[in-house]
Amino acid sequence: MRLIEVQELRRTFTVGRFRAKREVVAVRDVSFAIEAGEMVGYIGPNGAGKSTTIKMLTGILVPSGGRLEVAGLDPSRQRTDLARRIGVVFGQRTTLWWDLPLRDSFAVLQRIYRTSPRRHEQNLAEYVELLDLGDLLDTPVRQLSLGQRMRGDIVAALLHDPEILFLDEPTIGLDVISKGRLREFLRTLNATRGTTLMLTTHDLQDIEALCDRVIVIDHGTAVFDGALADLHREGGSTRTLVVDLVDEAPPISVPGATTRKVDGPRQWLSFPTDASAAPIVAAVAAAYDVADLSIQEPDIEDVIRELYSR
Amino acid sequence: MADQATGVIGVSARGYRDIARMWVKAALAYPASFWMMAASQFFLTLLDFVGIWIMFHTIDSLGGFDLTEIAFLYGATAFGIGVADLLGGQVERLGELIRMGRLDGMLLKPLPLLVQVCADQFALRRVARITQALVMLGVASYWVDWTPAKVGLTLVMLVSGSVIFLSIFVVFGCVQFWTVDASEVANAFTYGGNTMTQYPLTVFPKQVVTALTYLVPLAFVNWYPSLYILDRADPYGFPEWLRYASPIAAVALVAVTAVVWRAGVRHYESTGS
C-alpha cells in the first residue's frame, strides 16, 4: 500500500525585499513513492531541501507546485486530519511545552488527539519503558538534556499510534550511546508495529543501521533513489584504512586496496565500501610491521559529491 | 454544512479548553504569584479611569457626557478588550512563535492553528480586567433608566464588543505572517482603540468617528449601543440604525479576519532548520 506519493514537488521561497527580491528554489520537481512499512532515509547536504520536503509532507508548508499525497490526504489542505495519522520529530526543536513536565505534556496530547485513555496509558507505559524515561516524567522540558528531550519528543510523536513517523535529524547532537539506543528503538518500532519511517540525517550510520532505502537530494533535486549498497557503488565511495607502520616504508601493496597517500610511517589505503576490511587488514599485518590501524567510514557528503560530479 | 461548522466549533472549543486548563494548572502551581499578578492587573487597568475621574474635578462634562455616562462607556469597552485579551491576546506574539519554530509544532497537531495560538500560555489572571470592567458597569448602571430592550442591547453590545476586539487582535496579529516584528501594529489598534473608546467619541473630529464606524469598527464596541442605552442623540447625526448594528459589524469583521488568517497561514514560510 502506498502511503506517500510525491510528484514533481516544488517549493520556492522569495528572499530579499523590494528591488533585491529574488526567488530561490528549495525543492525542485522531486518525485518518489513510499510504501507502508518502509524505512527510508532522506539525505543530502545542508540546504539541500530535506527539511523543506518534510515540512510539505507534514502540512506545515504549502507546496509551490506538484502533487503530494500522504496517507491519502493532501497535507496542507487536510492538515488536522493528517496530524492524527502521522508523528513528527524535529531534532533541532521540541514540540513539547517548554515549561511543563513531560507527564503534563503527554496528558494534554491525549486530549488533543482524543486518544482513548486506555490506549494512551498502554502506549505511554510501553514507550517510557523502552526509552527509559520513567525518572524524568515530572521534570519540566526545559530542564531536560538534549538526549532526554529527544526521547520525550519521540514518545509524544507516537502516543496517538501514527502510521508514519517523520524524523528530521533525530540523532543530531546526541552522544554515541544515545544514538545507538535511539536506532535500536526505531528498528523495534518498525518491526513490531509496522510504522513507516522517513528520516533525514547527516549521519551515514543512522542510514546504515535503519534504512533499506535512501533518497538523496542535492540542490533541491533527487539525485538517487535506491538501496544503500547501490548508493555506495554508484557513488564510488570507499572506506579508508589508516596504517601506522613502525618504520617508514614504500607504499604498501596488498590485494583489494590501493594506497592513496604516504606520510612518513603513516599510509592511507582505500578499498570499496561493500568489501570486508578483514582480509586487507590481515594482508597488511602479515607483510609489514604495523604499529596501529584504524578504519574511516566514507562521509555521506563525499559520497553525494562524487555522485553529483559525475 | 451546518453540521460540519458545529463540529469545527465543538472541536475548537474543546481543544481550547484542554490547552487553557493546562496553562492555568501550571500558573496555579505558584498561587502567590498568580494572585499578585491578578491584583496588579486589576488596579493597573483601573488607572485609566482614575485619570478621567480626576479630570472631572475641574470639568463637569467631557464631550457633552457626564462622569456616570463615561463610566458606562469605559466599562463596556474595558469588558470587550478584557474578554478579547483573555481569549486571544496571545495572537500578538505570533511573530515570536514563528521565530522560535513553535508554530511548526502547532501545525502538526490536530486542532485549528488559531485555537492553539490563542490558547497558548492562557493567562487566567487577565480575568482581573474583566472583573474591573464589570464593577465599573455595575456602578454606572445605577444612573441608567433600564428597560428590557436596554438590558438586551447591553448584552448584545458586550458580546459584539468582545468579538470585535478579538477580531482586531487577530487581523493585525496576522501582519506578523508577513513581517515577523510587527506586533506593535496590532497594539496601535487594540490597546489604542481601547483608549479611544474610553472617551465619548464626540471629543474626536467627525472624520475619526467615520473611520471608527466604517473602517475599523471600534465605535460599535460601546459608542453606538450606548447612545441608545443612555438615551442620547448622536451629536454627529450618524444613522440611528447603527445603534443596533454592533452584531453586524462583529460578523463582518469576523469574515474579514477569517480571510486574512487563511491567507497568512498559507503564506507562512516556516524557518530553516
Side-chain angles (χ1 to χ4, degrees), chain A residues 11-14 17 51 55 58-62 76-77 79-81 83-84 86 88 90 92-97 99-100 104-105 108-109 111-114 142 168, chain B residues 11 14-15 17-19 21-23 25-26 30 99-102 104-113 116 120-121 178-179 265-273:
Chain A
R11 173 72 209 207
T12 57
F13 290 100
T14 312
R17 277 178 190 276
S51 293
K55 283 175 182 172
T58 52
I60 292 175
L61 281 176
V62 182
S76 71
R77 293 194 181 277
R79 187 178 63 70
T80 49
D81 291 330
R84 292 179 191 285
I86 62 172
V88 186
F90 291 112
Q92 317 252 42
R93 51 176 71 139
T94 182
T95 55
L96 299 166
W97 287 272
D99 301 304
L100 293 182
D104 290 5
S105 279
V108 174
L109 289 173
R111 293 172 162 280
I112 290 179
Y113 283 91
R114 312 248 132 225
R142 69 182 127 77
D168 193 7
Chain B
V11 166
R14 267 204 310 265
R17 185 200 60 195
D18 292 337
I19 298 173
R21 184 150 56 189
M22 168 186 87
W23 287 108
K25 196 180 145 197
Y30 305 96
R99 271 196 306 274
M100 310 245 315
R102 288 196 50 218
D104 286 356
M106 293 180 175
L107 281 163
L108 296 172
K109 302 212 163 69
L111 276 181
L113 184 64
Q116 295 182 69
D120 188 49
Q121 306 201 1
W178 286 273
T179 325
V265 174
R266 290 196 77 79
H267 180 268
Y268 174 58
E269 297 202 326
S270 186
T271 46
S273 78

Side-chain angles (χ1 to χ4, degrees), chain A:
Chain A
M1 192 182 66
R2 278 211 171 152
L3 265 189
I4 301 176
E5 188 149 12
V6 173
Q7 274 169 18
E8 318 229 310
L9 187 64
R10 191 176 181 86
R11 173 72 209 207
T12 57
F13 290 100
T14 312
V15 295
R17 277 178 190 276
F18 309 112
R19 291 256 182 92
K21 222 172 184 176
R22 64 201 171 84
E23 206 154 78
V24 174
V25 185
V27 174
R28 191 190 305 268
D29 306 331
V30 167
S31 304
F32 59 83
I34 294 176
E35 304 284 322
E38 276 194 278
M39 293 172 100
V40 178
Y42 195 62
I43 60 178
N46 277 331
K50 301 187 297 278
S51 293
T52 305
T53 309
I54 297 287
K55 283 175 182 172
M56 286 191 280
L57 289 173
T58 52
I60 292 175
L61 281 176
V62 182
S64 311
R67 227 178 57 79
L68 180 56
E69 216 175 83
V70 179
L73 302 166
D74 176 346
S76 71
R77 293 194 181 277
Q78 294 167 290
R79 187 178 63 70
T80 49
D81 291 330
L82 182 67
R84 292 179 191 285
R85 306 189 44 188
I86 62 172
V88 186
V89 177
F90 291 112
Q92 317 252 42
R93 51 176 71 139
T94 182
T95 55
L96 299 166
W97 287 272
W98 208 240
D99 301 304
L100 293 182
L102 281 177
R103 190 190 298 283
D104 290 5
S105 279
F106 294 155
V108 174
L109 289 173
Q110 184 260 320
R111 293 172 162 280
I112 290 179
Y113 283 91
R114 312 248 132 225
T115 320
S116 81
R118 216 174 126 246
R119 191 84 194 109
H120 177 81
E121 287 305 322
Q122 273 175 2
N123 282 339
L124 189 60
E126 182 179 337
Y127 293 136
V128 162
E129 165 83 35
L130 276 173
L131 287 166
D132 195 20
L133 274 173
D135 297 337
L136 300 168
L137 282 177
D138 293 308
T139 313
V141 172
R142 69 182 127 77
Q143 290 174 15
L144 297 178
S145 75
L146 184 64
Q148 294 166 340
R149 204 216 70 207
M150 173 63 63
R151 284 181 274 152
D153 260 306
I154 289 177
V155 173
L158 290 173
L159 285 172
H160 57 283
D161 288 326
E163 297 155 59
I164 312 172
L165 182 62
F166 293 95
L167 302 129
D168 193 7
E169 301 283 359
T171 57
I172 203 161
L174 298 189
D175 61 58
V176 179
I177 296 171
S178 308
K179 280 185 184 180
R181 269 211 229 130
L182 186 55
R183 289 175 193 143
E184 180 59 40
F185 172 79
L186 293 174
R187 259 201 307 269
T188 312
L189 181 78
N190 174 263
T192 57
R193 302 208 175 201
T195 309
T196 306
L197 250 67
M198 180 167 181
L199 67 142
T200 74
T201 184
H202 265 92
D203 191 331
L204 194 58
Q205 288 178 327
D206 283 349
I207 303 287
E208 263 161 11
L210 293 172
C211 302
D212 327 316
R213 177 178 163 199
V214 278
I215 299 171
V216 180
I217 180 169
D218 195 25
H219 293 96
T221 313
V223 292
F224 177 86
D225 184 349
L228 184 64
D230 294 335
L231 174 65
H232 283 308
R233 207 167 302 126
E234 275 198 41
S237 77
T238 52
R239 292 200 279 173
T240 303
L241 179 66
V242 184
V243 183
D244 284 328
L245 296 173
V246 176
D247 295 306
E248 285 187 33
I252 296 173
S253 145
V254 289
T258 45
T259 306
R260 264 199 358 248
K261 194 176 154 193
V262 179
D263 181 12
R266 176 170 286 193
Q267 303 205 8
W268 284 264
L269 281 68
S270 50
F271 60 98
T273 305
D274 48 4
S276 166
I280 298 165
V281 171
V284 170
Y288 299 86
D289 275 343
V290 176
D292 198 8
L293 283 169
S294 68
I295 295 173
Q296 289 172 354
E297 295 297 322
D299 196 324
I300 195 72
E301 321 228 326
D302 292 337
V303 177
I304 293 164
R305 207 173 301 126
E306 196 67 31
L307 191 72
Y308 203 62
S309 64
R310 283 178 302 129

Side-chain angles (χ1 to χ4, degrees), chain B residues 7-117:
Chain B
V8 170
I9 291 169
V11 166
S12 300
R14 267 204 310 265
Y16 191 99
R17 185 200 60 195
D18 292 337
I19 298 173
R21 184 150 56 189
M22 168 186 87
W23 287 108
V24 171
K25 196 180 145 197
L28 287 177
Y30 305 96
S33 152
F34 172 83
W35 286 109
M36 266 164 60
M37 300 264 273
S40 69
Q41 188 143 45
F42 183 91
F43 290 110
L44 211 69
T45 51
L46 199 62
L47 275 183
D48 281 346
F49 188 77
V50 172
I52 297 171
W53 179 64
I54 290 170
M55 240 179 346
F56 267 83
H57 281 279
T58 52
I59 53 175
D60 294 326
S61 74
L62 183 62
F65 287 73
D66 67 24
L67 186 60
T68 64
E69 292 168 317
I70 289 174
F72 189 83
L73 288 169
Y74 178 96
T77 186
F79 181 88
I81 198 161
V83 171
D85 189 34
L86 174 75
L87 295 180
Q90 285 301 325
V91 176
E92 72 182 23
R93 290 178 51 209
L94 185 64
E96 192 184 315
L97 295 178
I98 292 174
R99 271 196 306 274
M100 310 245 315
R102 288 196 50 218
L103 206 70
D104 286 356
M106 293 180 175
L107 281 163
L108 296 172
K109 302 212 163 69
L111 276 181
L113 184 64
L114 185 56
V115 170
Q116 295 182 69
V117 172

